Amino acid sequence: MENYNGEEQVRVNAERKKGKSLWITSLVSGTVASMVTSSVFLFGGDFIDQGKSSVNESTETAGIQQTDSVEKDKSVTAEKLSASTDSNDRAEMVESASKSIVGVVNLQEMQSQNPYQRQSTESETVESGTGSGVIYKKADGKAYIITNNHVIEGAKEVEISLYDGQKATAAVVGADALTDLAVLTIDSSKAPEGIKFGNSDSMRPGEEVLAIGNPLGLDFSRSVTQGIVSATGRTISVDTSDGEWALDVLQTDAAINPGNSGGALINTAGEVIGINSLKISENGVEGLGFAIPSNDVIPIVTELIENGKITRPYLGVSLASIDELPQHYIQNVPEAAESGVMVTSIEAGSAAANGGLKQQDIIVDIDGTKINTAAALRKYLYTDKKIGDKVKIKVYRGTEEKTVTITLQKP
């Protein structure tokens, strides 16, 4: 599929069973696409630097009731007051929230060719993409900004554009490719106060939401679109530069476009309930955007601020799904192992090596949880286990079924 405006595209695997392929688009606008590749999966825990879209509103809707039994003048007066009050409240909320939404510009170093020299010796920093960000809080002289990992991926420098036209160079506190989140800081004296984060678990399909961000770049900065929460509890399988991952998201029909990545999805109380990250990009598809829920965002952001990275249990293997392997690798695979994942390599001294896993073992189960993709294995280890835990892994070694017990390690 052709990239639109330099946006990053990653394949959605959610509809494989139906034989249907969709494309999910990370919403970055710019001149250079951030390429996300993943063919071999090495399970590690430190993920730093990189750069996936939705928003939520609350349950109240601005409606005007028609009352046939009320006198005309009184009815008109009541209608005007109701609509005007609600409209003003909404506009004031948006105006306040928008001040905490920033533009994020990814600047990368590009080599320029000198026509009088055989080799390129000069370089310049150029804009490779733009996205959005949300001011989370101010502390210790710094303003902390949340954005998507894919917005800042590969950046030599990150520039922040504030609501009042000021620009500031940001420092990258930390970033995580799998959850597609990153934290930046700028001098707090230049920034407004942070925006309040709400409870994404309280959102229900049908509740109104607003998306605020910078679609198609800074020329349309802090654009506001309205929609509803289309669904909660969605899981989108995506390929990232750190491997395949099952990303939990909120779905919305609020209009989002390249450049909205990292922007806010807010409820009608003006609280952030999601960080806009993805959209389905396919002919004939409209209104399918996704945001990382706020309740998933805050723990990751907190750890990034405290440690500068996300440290996860380390297995130390590279994996491939059975359907990705050449036929000669799987011609004698038992039927029970046909939906598993094969160990293609093992790092020396790793948890997998110490626990007795072997190359070409086919993993089918961990602690009773069926494993049919590398993303499923990651999801189980990274969400349900911690460093030092023991896991029982059921594998097929040739035609023989075995169970190995492994103690998870630090990276």
Side-chain angles (χ1 to χ4, degrees):
M1 172 174 271
E2 183 180 357
N3 283 357
Y4 173 66
N5 239 2
E7 74 228 21
E8 172 191 350
Q9 296 178 330
V10 280
R11 193 68 175 270
V12 179
N13 301 318
E15 304 253 352
R16 283 179 174 172
K17 292 183 180 179
K18 299 180 182 179
K20 180 181 179 181
S21 293
L22 297 176
W23 287 90
I24 198 134
T25 302
S26 298
L27 304 168
V28 182
S29 70
T31 56
V32 179
S34 298
M35 302 305 297
V36 174
T37 59
S38 175
S39 57
V40 177
F41 311 106
L42 177 63
F43 283 65
D46 297 350
F47 305 104
I48 299 181
D49 276 12
Q50 280 191 56
K52 311 198 190 164
S53 30
S54 293
V55 290
N56 303 38
E57 267 181 287
S58 87
T59 55
E60 298 183 1
T61 59
I64 300 175
Q65 296 183 345
Q66 294 181 345
T67 53
D68 295 336
S69 61
V70 180
E71 293 180 17
K72 182 178 181 181
D73 288 346
K74 292 182 179 179
S75 174
V76 170
T77 302
E79 288 180 344
K80 285 183 177 179
L81 286 174
S82 175
S84 176
T85 300
D86 185 84
S87 177
N88 286 338
D89 289 346
R90 181 66 57 84
E92 289 176 5
M93 180 272 288
V94 169
E95 183 178 0
S96 176
S98 294
K99 293 179 180 179
S100 299
I101 309 303
V102 303
V104 181
V105 181
N106 182 321
L107 300 172
Q108 296 188 11
E109 188 174 73
M110 304 292 290
Q111 297 294 324
S112 58
Q113 183 67 45
N114 188 324
Y116 300 103
Q117 295 180 344
R118 292 184 177 180
Q119 295 183 341
S120 176
T121 57
E122 299 179 359
S123 63
E124 58 180 338
T125 301
V126 299
E127 178 182 317
S128 68
T130 61
S132 306
V134 177
I135 298 176
Y136 172 52
K137 68 176 183 178
K138 295 170 71 172
D140 301 322
K142 298 177 181 178
Y144 290 86
I145 297 169
I146 299 172
T147 188
N148 284 140
N149 176 67
H150 71 260
V151 170
I152 63 163
E153 181 177 9
K156 177 179 176 59
E157 185 177 318
V158 179
E159 184 179 79
I160 300 300
S161 175
L162 297 162
Y163 80 100
D164 59 2
Q166 290 190 82
K167 297 184 183 299
T169 299
V172 178
V173 174
D176 182 51
L178 294 185
T179 57
D180 196 23
L181 291 169
V183 178
L184 314 171
T185 59
I186 61 173
D187 188 331
S188 64
S189 66
K190 298 181 179 181
E193 294 300 318
I195 190 171
K196 183 178 179 180
F197 275 65
N199 179 11
S200 57
D201 290 343
S202 69
M203 301 305 296
R204 298 177 299 170
E207 292 195 64
E208 294 183 29
V209 290
L210 299 171
I212 308 177
N214 308 305
L216 306 184
L218 300 182
D219 288 342
F220 298 98
S221 62
R222 282 162 286 281
S223 291
V224 183
T225 55
Q226 184 179 20
I228 62 170
V229 175
S230 303
T232 60
R234 295 290 197 215
T235 299
I236 302 293
S237 184
V238 296
D239 291 335
T240 78
S241 58
D242 280 323
E244 191 178 359
W245 181 247
L247 187 68
D248 297 328
V249 293
L250 294 170
Q251 181 182 330
T252 183
D253 69 346
I256 53 176
N257 293 283
N260 274 116
S261 269
L265 187 65
I266 65 175
N267 58 24
T268 50
E271 300 169 331
V272 178
I273 49 79
I275 297 297
N276 297 324
S277 186
L278 305 166
K279 66 180 285 188
I280 297 291
S281 180
E282 187 178 78
N283 289 335
V285 175
E286 294 182 5
L288 288 177
F290 303 95
I292 306 167
S294 58
N295 287 8
D296 291 348
V297 170
I298 298 304
I300 296 296
V301 166
T302 299
E303 187 170 349
L304 288 174
I305 291 173
E306 291 177 352
N307 304 321
K309 60 185 178 182
I310 304 299
T311 302
R312 299 183 171 96
Y314 183 70
L315 193 57
V317 297
S318 296
L319 300 174
S321 297
I322 298 300
D323 58 7
E324 298 174 340
L325 296 169
Q327 186 61 35
H328 68 272
Y329 277 103
I330 58 175
Q331 56 187 358
N332 296 319
V333 169
E335 183 177 350
E338 289 179 354
S339 61
V341 290
M342 178 176 284
V343 177
T344 57
S345 66
I346 299 175
E347 184 178 335
S350 66
N354 295 336
L357 273 180
K358 302 292 185 183
Q359 191 172 355
Q360 295 190 21
D361 279 353
I362 299 175
I363 298 174
V364 295
D365 183 287
I366 299 181
D367 291 340
T369 299
K370 188 174 181 180
I371 301 298
N372 51 24
T373 65
L377 192 152
R378 265 199 182 87
K379 193 75 171 181
Y380 178 77
L381 290 182
Y382 294 170
T383 59
D384 296 339
K385 295 297 176 180
K386 61 181 182 297
I387 295 168
D389 284 352
K390 294 182 182 296
V391 293
K392 291 185 177 181
I393 301 180
K394 183 188 293 186
V395 304
Y396 278 89
R397 188 168 294 163
T399 58
E400 184 180 1
E401 180 185 307
K402 289 181 173 292
T403 299
V404 296
T405 300
I406 293 177
T407 300
L408 299 173
Q409 299 176 352
K410 290 183 178 181

